[in-house]
């Protein structure tokens, strides 16, 4: 840690819709250190996905500056790994081929890295399975392995566990923290689940909607591995929760678990 | 296919032989009834020769070698027409599917040609190419072209946009996007187009051979009609049916193999 990985200054982004211009992000400033785990939380329409997509290079047409290791984001690429809410695996490729995708699996170094990643995301025995044969959590782990194979400077995760049941989600959070501890990949994780945000992040970025801007950045100084049942965790969770003026803002708009 | 489907099925599903038997039940009964009706003179032997007579005629033709030589001529025609039309359909379908500019350039003209009934161009083809092989192969190719063309186009345009985003995040080049995303995604449609084209190739073959020909199964049939040799006409029909079924089965097996990854209702 220490080096600045991602620097966002005065970021503004609007969308043209049938009803006129909608301001998605308003004067967002954020600096992410190398190896940091940032979680971004906010209700629907606060622009958290837009923020992530801009960093990934998937959305353009913004004002302000976004730099990764000092360089402007030129477009999507393998240095910015992206995990979508759905796994988005290629349905016609097996697990190992999905992870390799455009890289030749018969090259010894690729083969070895793919095998290591399958080990890391605990999918041994499923190398030759097709996506339809996997559960949601397994498929999302394949997607994570696919991104990690390319050694991204930063891994962007857009509500990746949102569609999973509570047990699978808790398991995936542990798996992800495990990966983060081993690889020290910088992570930005978007969620609408406060527990998840506090459990995972070094810092929790709280966004507010219409227009989307940062309300507060809360450092979470709890040691890993965290336990959701401890008092210190619950205190931290309440602190984050208190930053939402109306507590039910989150619950009502997203149905997120409290 | 999962083990649980097999385990579920084993308990109460009938075996493979029983299912095959089910398929034979209807044609089998019809054959027996037909034979009986013909045997007792209720059906005219002239218009409806009994299955036994047809079988005899089949054996005679096969022994003389006529059947095989005619079949070979027909099969070569159908196959070359299919390859020519289907191949062009695939090529142009990909081109038009991938690039909007080529769609503007080519698609309107191709749709126009599609609307011309194949039979309507037969006189023209005969004038241009005579009654030789070219006119027949071209007629078949015209029929075989469109199902592959349209389905390839649709398959390519149906590629999931979300997977396109993935391909750009993974840093695919334009070429890789085509080879690793668009084409694999279009394979189900392409296979459907190929199957339809194959069926139309046999159809086009019959039309071509019945109209003007001096060889082939279709010629054998129209020749037999002139001599009122009804059993031979039936033999021709059976040969066409068998050849059509066989070629469709081959394509279906290839399709199954290519589409193992699909998660669809198995019946």
């Amino acid at each position: 840690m220490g080096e600045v990985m991602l620097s966002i200054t005065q970021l503004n982004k609007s969308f043209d819709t049938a009803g006129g211009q909608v301001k998605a992000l308003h004067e967002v400033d954020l600096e992410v250190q190398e190896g940091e785990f940032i979680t971004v939380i906010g209700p629907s329409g606060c622009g958290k996905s837009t923020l992530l997509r801009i960093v990934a290079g998937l959305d353009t047409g913004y004002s302000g500056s976004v730099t990764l290791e000092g360089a402007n984001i030129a477009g999507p690429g393998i240095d910015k790994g992206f995990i979508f809410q759905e796994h988005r695996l290629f349905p016609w490729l097996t697990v190992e081929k999905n992870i390799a995708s455009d890289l030749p699996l018969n090259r010894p170094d690729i083969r070895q890295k793919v095998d290591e990643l399958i080990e890391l995301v605990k999918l041994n025995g499923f190398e030759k399975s097709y996506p339809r044969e996997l559960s949601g959590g397994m498929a999302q782990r394949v997607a994570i392995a696919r991104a990690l194979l390319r050694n991204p400077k930063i891994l962007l995760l857009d509500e990746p566990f949102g569609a999973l049941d509570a047990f699978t989600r808790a398991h995936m959070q542990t798996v992800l923290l495990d990966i983060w501890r081993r690889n020290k990949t910088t992570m930005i994780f978007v969620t609408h689940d406060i527990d998840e945000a506090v459990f995972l992040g070094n810092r929790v970025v709280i966004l507010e909607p219409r227009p989307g801007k940062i309300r507060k950045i809360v450092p979470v100084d709890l040691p890993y591995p965290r336990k959701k049942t401890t008092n210190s965790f619950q205190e931290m969770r309440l602190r984050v929760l208190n930053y939402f003026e109306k507590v039910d803002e989150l619950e009502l708009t997203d149905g997120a678990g409290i | 296919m999962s083990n649980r489907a097999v385990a579920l099925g084993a308990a109460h599903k009938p075996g493979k032989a029983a299912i095959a038997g089910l398929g034979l039940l209807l044609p089998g009964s019809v054959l027996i009834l037909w034979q009986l009706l013909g045997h007792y003179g209720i059906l005219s032997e002239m218009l409806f020769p009994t299955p036994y007579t047809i079988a005899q005629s089949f054996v005679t033709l096969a022994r003389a070698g006529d059947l095989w030589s005619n079949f070979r001529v027909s099969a070569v025609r159908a196959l070359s027409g299919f390859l020519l039309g289907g191949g062009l359909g695939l090529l142009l379908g990909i081109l038009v599917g991938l690039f909007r500019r080529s769609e503007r350039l080519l698609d309107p003209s191709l749709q126009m040609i599609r609307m011309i009934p194949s039979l309507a161009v037969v006189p023209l083809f005969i004038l241009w190419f005579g009654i030789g092989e070219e006119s027949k192969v071209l007629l078949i190719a015209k029929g075989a072209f469109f199902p592959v063309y349209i389905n390839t186009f649709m398959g390519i345009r149906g590629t999931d946009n979300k997977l396109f985003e993935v391909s750009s995040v993974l840093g695919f080049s334009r070429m890789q996007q085509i080879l690793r995303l668009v084409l694999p995604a279009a394979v189900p449609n392409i296979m459907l187009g190929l199957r339809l084209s194959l069926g139309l190739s046999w159809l086009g073959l019959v039309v071509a051979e019945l109209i003007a020909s001096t060889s082939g199964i279709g010629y054998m049939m129209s020749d037999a009609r002139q001599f009122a040799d009804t059993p031979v006409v039936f033999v021709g029909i059976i040969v066409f049916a068998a050849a059509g079924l066989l070629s469709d089965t081959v394509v279906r097996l290839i399709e199954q193999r290519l589409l193992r990854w699909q998660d669809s209702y198995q019946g």
Side-chain angles (χ1 to χ4, degrees), chain A residues 84-104:
Chain A
F84 299 89
Q85 179 161 12
E86 329 83 57
H87 57 74
R88 298 201 188 179
L89 299 177
F90 298 112
W92 51 85
L93 296 181
T94 57
V95 165
E96 54 182 17
K97 285 183 181 160
N98 254 296
I99 296 175
S101 287
D102 59 321
L103 305 172

Side-chain angles (χ1 to χ4, degrees), chain A:
Chain A
M1 267 192 227
E3 295 282 303
V4 174
M5 174 57 76
L6 177 76
S7 176
I8 300 171
T9 34
Q10 289 296 300
L11 175 64
N12 288 283
K13 165 83 183 167
S14 306
F15 285 109
D16 292 317
T17 63
Q21 273 219 334
V22 173
K23 192 132 198 166
L25 291 170
H26 179 70
E27 294 180 359
V28 171
D29 287 298
L30 181 67
E31 206 158 74
V32 180
Q33 311 292 317
E34 190 181 343
E36 219 181 347
F37 200 135
I38 297 285
T39 48
V40 180
I41 189 167
S44 305
C46 69
K48 50 192 194 295
S49 289
T50 309
L51 179 68
L52 211 59
R53 291 175 61 90
I54 287 174
V55 174
L58 287 170
D59 276 3
T60 49
Y62 53 85
S63 74
S65 105
V66 182
T67 59
L68 187 71
E69 286 191 325
N72 283 320
I73 308 272
I78 55 171
D79 52 343
K80 304 171 289 288
F82 202 102
I83 309 294
F84 299 89
Q85 179 161 12
E86 329 83 57
H87 57 74
R88 298 201 188 179
L89 299 177
F90 298 112
W92 51 85
L93 296 181
T94 57
V95 165
E96 54 182 17
K97 285 183 181 160
N98 254 296
I99 296 175
S101 287
D102 59 321
L103 305 172
L105 201 54
N106 50 18
R107 233 171 64 190
D109 55 325
I110 305 269
R111 178 80 249 180
Q112 195 196 337
K113 278 186 75 179
V114 167
D115 287 342
E116 283 169 16
L117 281 166
I118 287 174
E119 185 84 40
L120 183 69
V121 297
K122 304 184 179 76
L123 279 169
N124 311 66
F126 291 95
E127 293 87 346
K128 310 262 189 257
S129 302
Y130 286 97
R132 68 175 163 90
E133 297 164 312
L134 305 177
S135 68
M138 288 158 82
Q140 202 56 290
R141 277 171 2 227
V142 178
I144 292 172
R146 178 171 68 179
L148 289 176
L149 177 65
R150 282 136 184 100
N151 283 324
K153 291 176 183 159
I154 191 164
L155 191 59
L156 310 162
L157 304 105
D158 187 8
E159 302 188 29
F161 309 148
L164 306 178
D165 65 83
F167 293 104
T168 315
R169 190 190 300 190
H171 171 68
M172 292 294 290
Q173 290 164 357
T174 321
V175 171
L176 188 65
L177 280 179
D178 199 40
I179 291 168
W180 176 62
R181 261 201 303 276
R182 287 196 211 186
N183 290 21
K184 282 289 158 212
T185 312
T186 313
M187 307 251 186
I188 301 184
F189 188 107
V190 163
T191 178
H192 56 224
D193 179 342
I194 295 185
D195 272 1
E196 190 166 63
V198 174
F199 184 72
L200 294 174
N202 292 131
R203 286 191 290 159
V204 178
V205 176
I206 300 166
L207 292 185
E208 61 178 48
R210 284 169 284 272
K213 59 182 176 198
I214 294 180
R215 181 174 289 175
K216 184 71 187 174
I217 299 176
V218 183
V220 185
D221 46 9
L222 302 172
Y224 297 95
R226 295 166 179 168
K227 278 193 82 95
K228 290 176 190 167
T229 45
T230 58
N231 286 334
S232 50
F233 185 90
Q234 290 301 324
E235 275 165 33
M236 185 57 71
R237 191 179 155 279
L238 276 177
R239 256 179 72 190
V240 172
L241 200 52
N242 279 332
Y243 282 106
F244 294 94
E245 280 167 353
K246 289 165 281 173
V247 174
D248 49 357
E249 196 176 306
L250 253 193
E251 290 174 275
L252 291 181
T253 46
D254 268 344
I258 295 290

Side-chain angles (χ1 to χ4, degrees), chain A residues 53 77-78 88 91-92 132, chain B residues 165 169-170 184 260-262:
Chain A
R53 291 175 61 90
I78 55 171
R88 298 201 188 179
W92 51 85
R132 68 175 163 90
Chain B
E165 260 181 14
V169 168
L170 292 177
R260 264 173 316 177
W261 52 271
Q262 267 194 336

